[in-house]
Amino acid sequence: MERYVFGVDVGGTTVKLGLFRADGSRIRKWEIPTRTENHGDGVLADIREALLSEMRERKILPEQILGAGVGLPGPVTPDGVVNRCVNLGWGRRDVPAELSALLDGIPVRAGNDANVAALGEARFGAGSRYQSMVMITLGTGVGGGIILDGKIVPGSHGAAGEIGHLPIWDGAKTPCSCGNTGCLEQIGSATGLVRRARELLEETDLPSTLRSLGSFTAKDVMDRHGQGDAVADAVIAEAVDRLGCGMALVSCVVDPEVFVIGGGVSRAGEWLIRDLEQSFRRQAFHACRETGVVAASLGSEAGLWGAAALVLP
Amino acid sequence: MERYVFGVDVGGTTVKLGLFRADGSRIRKWEIPTRTENHGDGVLADIREALLSEMRERKILPEQILGAGVGLPGPVTPDGVVNRCVNLGWGRRDVPAELSALLDGIPVRAGNDANVAALGEARFGAGSRYQSMVMITLGTGVGGGIILDGKIVPGSHGAAGEIGHLPIWDGAKTPCSCGNTGCLEQIGSATGLVRRARELLEETDLPSTLRSLGSFTAKDVMDRHGQGDAVADAVIAEAVDRLGCGMALVSCVVDPEVFVIGGGVSRAGEWLIRDLEQSFRRQAFHACRETGVVAASLGSEAGLWGAAALVLP
């Protein structure tokens, strides 16, 4: 009897779904919209419907499903309970219990989306050759996930791997979305790069072609790196310095074998990985200086692969 | 047949030894000197002799010994290999293999002494009510140990829990013993407190009764806390601020249930634990603000208990 697992990656706009064989090979992936109205009350029911109809179509019996793994956009405790998912409108939800009940008892495991993406890279992507790995996701914010011995470190409050909120930037002039001031993601994220570039354009006379743009994105800043644009170079140097410091700190705590760098910002080019590696080595504790720094390889599918990995044998 | 384990805590001056029953109760503890001459070549032979003579005296057979756990003063990789123990004069040693061979095949496990002390507090001391714990040892240096699900996180280079080398103090004027500048232990350790107090006495006119002392210790600084001594108060405020920042950082990485504070400096009084807790809460990510901060309870015996815990069932 063939065995299967489902991977489910819940985002604020779409839910990505995947059907996998027990050996980890993927059979199909598809998406459904995330219905966030009514405090996201329909999200789990929609997932149920999508998974059950897939099973019906392929004549897969419930006993052939080893489990469904779910990545969620919020802090998830070690037992899979999420306390708040702002993007879904959710308060406290025991997703493994609720979704398993909706799926006639199929086992369900849940994890935070950044942690689950890290697990995906660890098992199927850039981290698959290593025993321990820390993934850093550079996107709208800065996310992270810690994988030791092939397992997610969730943290007692679901906050392990919250690398974006390392309080290590003394240049912040406004509070972070978390309420503190000086978080790494205030300079190291796409949002942070744009905000900091705007500040430098206003406060300094540094030459920059960004001045001629009405509005600009992180990509506009990144594209000007190393092209003689003083503002772009200053902002990126600051971000790279702080991200390298964050990696040095993480090494003193869990000392992973490798850092895997993912997220939209990380697609700027090979130079970013190289610069982060240099910045890390310069600031790292001597025993950790040889720790690897590599680019993620699964892109936006890391979360789906990782969700499956939550329940794969 | 009664079963036993040995705990061995190797320090630069003495080796502490303990015989324990398999239920974790301790039968005897004793000490032998650490023979560091000839690159510490005799250390393992001395441990062998001490353990075998204890077994002879009590008529304990090798098959009754479940194992010997060893704490070592240096970085220890996940498989128990130490690359360098400066205090013992050792280069690379595979302690589990070497000592097990000397003990007729009794299983041996080894860990870094700070990590092993953390394991002792986690299993038998202040951390025993918690699933995950980070111990911070405030002594000559600042040490640390990370315990998740009852197990030491060793780190891929044996450097996990090296909290003393978090690069988070921009007031450092000289390099740390590790070669970097700005490590937490440069302000948060006993050595750091004294060095910083001396700097402030030289560089400022702040009133302090430390000025009348020819030389002074960290205890002299701590004893003047809250007594109107401006230098002592400034140094301690700075140290507490940076230690709280270090704890906030650690929370963003592994998010433990509790911090256990140990080491000689931590015996300054209840106020230190309280001040560290406040400093931590002020700087912590919101999800981690309720993380506990408690004093260690096993004192200098934590390492011996932890060594036994390495091999207890």
Side-chain angles (χ1 to χ4, degrees), chain B residues 72-83 85 110-113 115 154-155 157-159:
Chain B
L72 295 166
V76 180
T77 63
D79 46 4
V81 174
V82 59
N83 272 309
C85 282
N112 165 268
D113 54 2
N115 291 346
H157 310 90

Side-chain angles (χ1 to χ4, degrees), chain B residues 93-166:
Chain B
R93 301 291 285 266
D94 184 342
V95 174
E98 291 183 46
L99 187 57
S100 182
L102 288 173
L103 291 170
D104 302 323
I106 289 172
V108 174
R109 284 197 191 157
N112 165 268
D113 54 2
N115 291 346
V116 168
L119 183 65
E121 289 285 350
R123 178 128 178 203
F124 297 106
S128 62
R129 293 189 298 117
Y130 306 90
Q131 288 296 309
S132 61
M133 184 198 98
V134 171
M135 181 163 179
I136 301 183
T137 306
L138 307 175
T140 313
V142 172
I146 319 270
I147 308 293
L148 300 182
D149 292 325
K151 282 193 215 114
I152 290 171
V153 175
S156 63
H157 310 90
E162 284 286 358
I163 291 166
H165 299 286
L166 290 170

Side-chain angles (χ1 to χ4, degrees), chain A residues 222 265-274:
Chain A
M222 307 289 280
V265 173
S266 75
R267 279 163 224 149
E270 187 48 40
W271 64 266
L272 181 63
I273 303 294
R274 216 175 45 235

Side-chain angles (χ1 to χ4, degrees), chain A residues 146 148 155-162 165-168 178 180 249 252-257 283-289 291, chain B residues 146 153 155-162 165-168 178 180 249 252-257 283-289 291:
Chain A
I146 319 269
L148 301 182
S156 63
H157 310 90
E162 282 287 358
H165 299 286
L166 289 170
I168 52 169
C178 78
N180 289 352
L249 293 164
C252 284
V253 182
V254 290
D255 181 18
E257 254 185 290
Q283 301 178 72
F285 182 55
H286 60 79
C288 309
R289 264 179 215 136
T291 301
Chain B
I146 319 270
V153 175
S156 63
H157 310 90
E162 284 286 358
H165 299 286
L166 290 170
I168 53 171
C178 78
N180 289 352
L249 293 164
C252 285
V253 183
V254 290
D255 181 18
E257 255 185 289
Q283 301 177 74
F285 183 55
H286 59 78
C288 309
R289 261 176 219 139
T291 301

